[in-house]
Amino acid sequence: MRSTDRALSNIEAHPDGFNALRRMYSSVQQPLFDSLAGGGARPPSPEHSPRHNTQGAPGVINTAALPN
């Protein structure tokens, strides 16, 4: 617990550190809590749905040439 408090104190002491913590809360922690609370304000976007898989089937080896 002490090391966590010290790490947060070091981040807050850094210039723009508090804003980094605020952005992390608003982009990671708050949406996670909203999803666990049973809803959320907006429905999931189509590009994040499980049916929109562009990576291919799992276990299939990609033999096509990839761009640089």
Side-chain angles (χ1 to χ4, degrees), residues 4-66:
T4 303
D5 290 340
R6 186 66 191 156
L8 288 173
S9 177
N10 289 342
I11 292 172
E12 287 176 348
H14 190 273
D16 199 42
F18 181 78
N19 288 330
L21 289 174
R22 183 185 53 78
R23 283 191 308 269
M24 187 184 312
Y25 172 77
S26 64
S27 65
V28 176
Q29 187 175 356
Q30 189 177 18
L32 181 64
F33 284 159
D34 289 345
S35 67
L36 292 175
R42 51 186 183 262
S45 60
E47 55 271 351
H48 292 105
S49 70
R51 294 183 187 156
H52 190 275
N53 187 3
T54 59
Q55 296 176 349
V60 177
I61 298 174
N62 182 11
T63 58
L66 300 175

